[in-house]
Amino acid sequence: MYNIFLEIHHVIDSYYDFDAIQISNTKIRIRDNFNDVTYFWEGYQKFNFDYNQIFYDNIEYFLQEYDAWEKTFTSQAGTVNEFDNENFLSFTTENITTFYSSKDNTGTNIANLFWDYVGSYSVANVQGYDNLKILTLDYGSLGNEEFELSVINDGKIRLYLLSSGTTYEFTGRGIIQYLKSSSLNDSVRNGGRKRTKVNRETKIRRNL
C-alpha cells in the first residue's frame, strides 16, 4: 500500500507529517519529511500486545510522574547504611539523568523539602527479566548506590539496595499532570516535555 499521508497534531510537540508505506501485514514504514528520519513500526493485536513491557521500557518517565517519592517502608533485613537516612527522591522532568535526594523527615510537605544531594542516575535492563531494572544513583565524589528497581503499583516502587541487602518502598507524592486543557503554552509550562528514546545497557542479575 502506497501514497498514504499521515498528519499528527500533538499538543506539546506541535505538527508532524509523514509518508507511510505498508511493508507487510504487520509492519509499516513512516518517513518524517521535515526531519528526514524514517521509522519502522510493528503492529500487534490487542490480545497479544505486552503493555507491561512498554511500561518498563519507559520507566524513567514513570519516575518523573511525581514531584517526589517518599520512603514509606524499610525492611528489617539489611545492614545499616547511609541511604537509610534519605527519605525523599525526585527525578527531574528536565531530562532522564538527574535526581535529587533529601534527608528530611517523612511526612514533610513537598514544598518544604531541602534537597541534600543532587546527582545523576541511570536505569539498566536486567538480563532475563522484563519487570526488573537496575537503578544507579551517582552521588559524584560520594560514590554510587545500586538498586534493583521494581514497580508495586502506579504510585509505589520498591528499591532493593544491593550493597546492604535492604529493601525500601517509596510512594509517589504530588503527581504531575502533563496535559492541561487551557493552552499549549500552559501545558509546556506545567510539565510538558519531549520524550526521547532511551538506550540502556543490560546487566546480569547478581545471585542473592
Side-chain angles (χ1 to χ4, degrees):
M1 187 180 298
Y2 298 91
N3 299 323
I4 301 175
F5 187 70
L6 173 65
E7 294 182 349
I8 296 177
H9 295 269
H10 196 281
V11 294
I12 294 176
D13 295 333
S14 190
Y15 171 81
Y16 288 90
D17 67 87
F18 303 91
D19 288 326
I21 298 176
Q22 181 176 343
I23 306 290
S24 67
N25 289 334
T26 60
K27 183 179 292 186
I28 62 172
R29 182 180 70 195
I30 61 173
R31 180 177 178 80
D32 180 347
N33 295 308
F34 181 78
N35 294 301
D36 193 26
V37 179
T38 298
Y39 305 92
F40 291 86
W41 294 78
E42 186 79 27
Y44 296 88
Q45 297 294 330
K46 289 183 178 180
F47 72 89
N48 64 2
F49 184 72
D50 192 344
Y51 290 94
N52 288 332
Q53 183 65 52
I54 293 297
F55 174 81
Y56 277 95
D57 281 347
N58 293 275
I59 195 73
E60 286 87 350
Y61 300 112
F62 174 64
L63 296 176
Q64 296 177 8
E65 286 187 358
Y66 292 90
D67 289 319
W69 292 89
E70 180 179 8
K71 185 188 292 178
T72 51
F73 171 80
T74 302
S75 67
Q76 294 296 317
T79 58
V80 176
N81 65 91
E82 287 295 326
F83 192 77
D84 287 339
N85 301 316
E86 298 177 42
N87 294 319
F88 291 89
L89 294 172
S90 180
F91 300 88
T92 179
T93 59
E94 297 172 0
N95 54 53
I96 56 172
T97 59
T98 304
F99 82 96
Y100 298 86
S101 177
S102 173
K103 292 183 176 182
D104 285 337
N105 294 329
T106 56
T108 301
N109 189 292
I110 296 173
N112 297 327
L113 290 174
F114 176 80
W115 298 107
D116 299 275
Y117 304 109
V118 58
S120 61
Y121 76 96
S122 63
V123 178
N125 297 324
V126 181
Q127 185 174 314
Y129 292 83
D130 293 330
N131 60 351
L132 185 69
K133 302 295 179 184
I134 297 296
L135 171 67
T136 302
L137 302 182
D138 184 350
Y139 292 85
S141 61
L142 298 176
N144 295 349
E145 298 284 15
E146 194 171 77
F147 305 84
E148 288 187 351
L149 164 65
S150 56
V151 176
I152 299 173
N153 56 41
D154 60 2
K156 186 177 291 186
I157 59 175
R158 178 179 291 115
L159 298 180
Y160 176 79
L161 182 55
L162 294 170
S163 62
S164 72
T166 311
T167 298
Y168 308 95
E169 291 180 4
F170 282 80
T171 301
R173 303 298 188 209
I175 190 168
I176 300 172
Q177 299 293 333
Y178 290 102
L179 297 182
K180 303 294 183 179
S181 59
S182 55
S183 70
L184 172 60
N185 290 334
D186 286 341
S187 176
V188 173
R189 185 164 53 249
N190 286 284
R193 79 277 190 188
K194 285 182 177 290
R195 297 196 171 195
T196 57
K197 183 178 180 181
V198 178
N199 294 311
R200 297 197 195 95
E201 65 172 319
T202 299
K203 296 187 176 182
I204 299 175
R205 191 185 189 193
R206 300 180 186 178
N207 293 324
L208 304 178

